Amino acid sequence: MTEPNWDMDNQWIWMKLFQDTCVKCGVMDTDTVKRIVQPWPTYVPCDTFDQRSLTFVFRPAQPR
C-alpha cells in the first residue's frame, strides 16, 4: 500500500463544490448550517490507488 501524501484539509474544495452543486441543481435549498452540520470528510484508508473514492451520505439531522 502506498502511503498517502496529502493533507485532509486540502480536500475542502471537493466539499464546497459538491455542496454548491447540490444547491444549484435543487437537491438542497441551501448549503448553510441550516442543512450542512458536519461538512468535513472522514478518511478511510484503502489498499490501492484504484480503490479511492468520495462517498457522500445524506442523513436527516438528529433532533437536539
Side-chain angles (χ1 to χ4, degrees):
M1 181 164 108
T2 303
E3 291 294 320
N5 63 354
W6 47 269
D7 298 336
M8 273 298 286
D9 61 347
N10 291 344
Q11 305 305 306
W12 69 270
I13 190 65
W14 296 111
M15 299 305 292
K16 171 149 183 55
L17 292 172
F18 180 76
Q19 292 170 16
D20 289 350
T21 300
C22 284
V23 171
K24 184 175 182 178
C25 292
V27 175
M28 295 186 299
D29 59 343
T30 182
D31 60 351
T32 65
V33 293
K34 177 181 174 186
R35 292 282 178 254
I36 308 294
V37 296
Q38 187 177 3
W40 296 109
T42 299
Y43 173 66
V44 179
C46 58
D47 292 328
T48 69
F49 190 79
D50 291 336
Q51 291 176 331
R52 296 177 311 152
S53 68
L54 289 173
T55 302
F56 294 89
V57 178
F58 291 85
R59 288 189 196 110
Q62 297 297 318
R64 294 178 187 226

